[in-house]
Amino acid sequence: MAQAAIELIGINKSFGAVRANRDINLEVARGTIHGIVGENGAGKSTLMSILYGFYQADSGEIRVGGKPVSIHTSNDAIALGIGMVHQHFMLVDNFTVLENVILGAENDALLKSSIAKARSELDRLEREYGLEVDPDALIEELPVGLQQRVEILKALYRGAEILILDEPTGVLTPAEADHLFRILKQLKDQGKTIVLITHKLREIMAITDTVSVMRQGTMVATRTTKETTVGELAELMVGRRVLLRVEKGESEAGAIKLSVKNLTVKDSRGVTMVDDVSFDVRGGEIVGIAGVAGNGQSELLEAISGIRHAVSGEVTLDGKPIDLTGKADPGELRDRGLAHVPEDRHHVGLVLAFEENENSILGYHDDERYLKGPFLDVDAIMADAKDKIEKYDIRPGNPRLKTANFSGGNQQKIVLAREMEQDPGVLIVGQPTRGVDVGAIEFIHKRLIAMRDQGKAVLVVSVELDEIRSLSDRILVMFAGRVVGERGPEATEGELGLLMAGVEHQEAAE
Amino acid sequence: MDIFIAIVQILDSTIRLSVPLLLACLAGLYSERAGVFDIGLEGKMLVGAFAGASAAAVFHSALIGLGMAILMSVAFAMVHGFASITHRGNQIVSGVAINFIAAGSTIMLGQAWFQQGGRTPALQPGERFEAIIWPGADAVRDVPIIGPVYSELISGHSILVYIAFLMVPFTWWVLYRTRFGLRMRAVGENPAAVDTAGISVAWLRYRALICTGILTGIAGAYLSMVQNGGFVKDMTAGKGYIALAALIFAKWRPVNAMFACLLFGFLDAASIRLQGSPLPIIGKVPAQFMQALPYVLTVILLAGFIGKAIPPRAGGVPYVKER
């Protein structure tokens, strides 16, 4: 085995009563890509923050290149050749690429020589690694993929030999993610060591040489990627067998619950995002809408849930028309039995600064069950929240906790519990498992299927093709604002992929 | 020709009246660019004015006065820093507190030390900053156009006036051409980026506040040692707030700040000049209306004419390291 670039020996770290890292041992070989997987809250980020000097370990030893080191600040880590690409980019949005690169690594008190040096250095990095980016572009004007490239350049400019990437693909489109992986492989070929933190097992299988699995603050296993499987890793992460594909019976489609005819929606810039879309959703079936992000799915969801006004179209709910072009508001739709789990739970689905119990009735707070005269019935709300926490296994099970302190998966469960427990006739779900870890994905999928089996109409929009295929009874594919095809759940990934790319659509048009 | 002389005179007082605004505005620029809102400019100016006039009167030296003005103003800036950077307190509350302490303590100490109703003794020549007459100013006075412009507008101001206007290019240079400026702008936008780059957020913000303190100190000294021959209670009269308005109007940029302060200074100068003198068509206008005019225009300008002013993104938010 090649010499170790990093060794972590017996690392412990507690935050108050929470032991974020327990006796962690990790060895990362030089010139390899080492994956670290684990559910949200397993302690991956804490461990890497210790390595990068953001936190100090309570006990344990860090060795870099075989030598014991002490890392007290990010500066120490940078000096040791450790670079980090954070999940939320550490960039100044209204600075240029150059300014961001030299920030903290300036030559002297004046900027002139630093800028000149950075310019030639970026040029060299661009040639060596194919990391192209306009040095004078403003960060806020760059797409997310390029912003991430700037983060990588920042690390390389500081002479990083070891690059830590924290959930790097969370914000990337599939194409951008592929590009990132090519860059990482190239960096590896040049002898750099890469540590990749993620909870997406597919990425681990695609790019890493070795993978370590963390669970609840401990390091549970390290495997050579070639010799392991997604199933084994998922099991190690969650601590029990995980169904990667939910089992479900045949659907028994009933009457049409939601009918959409000729719906057209424009976005705030006036661009037509949903173009003359028609479909029905029947009781007892899950209809999945697949498509590359940005092809009108978000606007479609917003229009049907009453958040965004449609330009034209006829929509009926349980056979009765609803006017989505101006009259209907989300509250009215809720009253008529349409529940909506929004795509963006942080901005639309939850108020993160509220306590869990408050979020668990949000939007239904004027329901008589939660009121005592003109006031909120706190006891009833708490009882209701506790009930939902139990049914949906929301952790930690404390209804008084601030919602921001729950992990992504548990936040999603809070929203799902709120909407599903209203017993709606129609449930609309956007990105049911975005930012949700493996164990919770399984739970959420089972719940959605249970809704279906109770005879509810379920509409799911997701950019995860696997999810669409495993959940849906019928799959609609959206491209450029139109529904370009309908397939059954047996459709292959390739077939759907072609539809999503608009290939068949273009051929048909010609 | 009379009109020309009148215009030159108005412009001359425009310069004099905009100097304290400009210094305070640039002071605010340093702290706000570093992400610390400073509503306490007013208080720090007042403290500077009082400390300057007191020390000048006691030690009979304008320079010692200026030094004390800067020292006390920086000390107050450090109080603001201690509350809002080290202890992550609310920056608005801390700033307001500083204004109250400044207003109260200057009067109290002034009365205790000098027994003149909160005033400091009238400053004698040598205890004030005198006007600097540029070479040849008297000689060219009678030359048409150039004469009055050179002798009235350019020559004949105190050193602090020239310092104030030189601070504009200097601040621009610091912001955009130095490492300190780059880091300061960064810390006002995204302190986490600065922190992960291995730079201390707190120390950077403290240094920015020191700059703020120095400039408000000079502004205060100008009020009590140039514009006036001593300290009078509440002599800042809201200039710190006008400076903040100018800062927003200037979108946190130094050169814009100069023009914004000159505009506010001009409105002030024009209102003084026009008081009591009948205007064409409208006739005589009440003095109160003219006095209110700069403030009314301030409101109108801020409400409608600056477009979207985007403040530094991390402004007002204490930095908490969290993951």
Side-chain angles (χ1 to χ4, degrees), chain A residues 7-20:
Chain A
E7 287 165 274
L8 300 176
I9 301 152
I11 298 283
N12 277 293
K13 175 73 187 174
S14 300
F15 296 101
V18 183
R19 294 191 70 185

Side-chain angles (χ1 to χ4, degrees), chain A residues 49 52 54-55 74-75 78 86 89-95 99 102-104 106 108-111 140 166, chain B residues 173 176-180 182-183 185-186 189-190 192-199 313 319 321-323:
Chain A
S49 297
Y52 192 63
F54 241 63
Y55 296 139
S74 304
N75 259 346
I78 293 166
H86 297 265
F89 302 149
M90 296 298 174
L91 297 171
V92 182
D93 284 346
N94 57 1
F95 274 22
E99 286 175 320
I102 60 174
L103 181 67
E106 306 91 342
D108 51 45
L110 299 185
L111 292 181
E140 58 198 356
D166 189 2
Chain B
W173 180 79
Y176 297 107
R177 289 289 179 269
T178 69
R179 176 172 63 191
F180 173 62
L182 180 82
R183 292 177 173 189
R185 284 184 290 137
E189 293 289 332
N190 185 358
V194 171
D195 195 11
T196 51
I199 309 161
R313 252 158 270 189
Y319 179 59
K321 187 185 237 183
E322 64 180 333
R323 287 300 311 277

Side-chain angles (χ1 to χ4, degrees), chain A residues 317-392:
Chain A
L317 186 61
D318 273 331
K320 291 182 202 110
I322 47 176
D323 181 8
L324 291 181
T325 56
K327 288 270 166 56
D329 64 64
E332 183 191 340
L333 291 172
R334 266 198 295 271
D335 291 342
R336 290 176 59 176
L338 182 137
H340 173 219
V341 176
E343 287 185 304
D344 184 348
R345 61 176 168 267
H346 285 173
H347 292 115
V348 186
L350 295 166
V351 182
L352 290 176
F354 277 15
E355 291 173 7
E356 194 272 346
N357 66 80
E358 293 170 312
N359 268 309
S360 79
I361 61 157
L362 206 66
Y364 302 99
H365 51 274
D366 49 4
D367 194 300
E368 277 179 14
R369 281 172 299 162
Y370 306 128
L371 295 179
K372 208 189 261 172
F375 303 106
L376 289 173
D377 183 349
V378 178
D379 292 336
I381 293 170
M382 290 301 277
D384 182 78
K386 280 182 187 145
D387 184 48
K388 285 172 184 163
I389 282 174
E390 197 159 316
K391 270 193 188 162
Y392 288 81

